[in-house]
Amino acid sequence: MRQKPDRGDTVTEQRPPRPRGGRPSKAEAAKLERHILETAANLFATQGFAATSMEQIASACGAGKDTIYRRYPSKTSLFSALMAGLQAEVLAELEAALQQDGAVLDRLRRYARAILAVNLRPQLVALNRVVLSEPSALGERKPDDKDPIMQRLTGLVEEAQNNGALAAGDAAFLATQILYATSIRPLMSKLLGETDFEEKAAQDDYFCRAWDLFLSGAARQG
């Protein structure tokens, strides 16, 4: 059963003003580009990948089909561009979470908590649901693709290891375990339409307990 989309995730009726004539300026072209991607994101999130057509996207954003196809030769390329753009925005936001000074474990903790907050946003949950249910939306992906978010998380783990704050070991494996411990359960809950982590207080409580357990381990001491 699909969740009803939040009011902020519904398709907007507003359309950007059309240029009066001639070649659009760079600012106008960039504005149209953002509008196309935002409109496509709303349609994909509410209808799914297969049920959304390029014609629907063109109609909803007030652009001609030729305008859409000049930028994106296929629906898959449009969806991939959309996800790449969202990832870039997320990366910038996650990096901002590290601007505060502090011990490496504090920075690692802030970064992991920011990942959880981003993953639970309604639109990203909806788009991740599309990716999981319709893998063809992303087309063929190279097996050596690297996730920059995980690379950054791994780098923070390595820094903590070098400072003696975490035990030595495979940094990439430890980074994956941090992600699983602090983010995957709430994300899966949201993907399944559950409401256990709707409130920030519930997210904070889960994250703190998962983080403490990761740092201390689950083995009985003594």
Side-chain angles (χ1 to χ4, degrees), residues 16 23 34 40 47 58 88 95 125 127 129 141 184 189 219 221:
R23 190 182 186 90
R34 288 194 302 271
Q47 299 181 170
E95 286 299 315
V125 169
L127 291 172
R129 191 180 289 125
R141 303 188 72 183
I184 298 303
S189 176
Q221 303 299 314

Side-chain angles (χ1 to χ4, degrees), residues 103-167:
V104 62
L105 276 185
D106 291 335
R107 289 185 285 117
L108 179 59
R109 188 181 190 280
R110 284 199 302 270
Y111 193 76
R113 181 62 182 89
I115 290 175
L116 173 60
V118 165
N119 278 333
L120 296 186
R121 287 179 181 165
Q123 188 180 69
L124 279 178
V125 169
L127 291 172
N128 278 322
R129 191 180 289 125
V130 170
V131 172
L132 288 174
S133 62
E134 303 177 77
S136 62
L138 288 175
E140 294 185 6
R141 303 188 72 183
K142 296 179 180 179
D144 61 344
D145 280 353
K146 299 295 184 181
D147 183 345
I149 294 175
M150 286 305 299
Q151 287 181 322
R152 189 70 170 94
L153 187 62
T154 300
L156 288 167
V157 169
E158 289 176 340
E159 186 181 346
Q161 289 174 321
N162 293 335
N163 288 354
L166 288 179

Side-chain angles (χ1 to χ4, degrees), residues 109 181 197 202-214:
R109 188 181 190 280
F197 299 98
Q203 298 170 23
D204 286 339
D205 178 67
Y206 178 88
F207 179 87
C208 289
R209 289 189 292 122
W211 176 261
D212 290 344
L213 183 60
F214 169 79

Side-chain angles (χ1 to χ4, degrees), residues 72-93:
Y72 308 103
S74 68
K75 187 169 62 170
T76 298
S77 65
L78 193 160
F79 189 85
S80 295
L82 164 64
M83 296 304 287
L86 288 174
Q87 185 183 65
E89 292 177 11
V90 166
L91 280 170
E93 184 173 338

Side-chain angles (χ1 to χ4, degrees), residues 3 6 120 122 190 193-203:
Q3 280 185 292
D6 289 0
L120 296 186
K190 292 280 284 187
E194 299 171 352
T195 59
D196 297 359
F197 299 98
E198 290 292 325
E199 302 297 328
K200 184 178 180 296
Q203 298 170 23

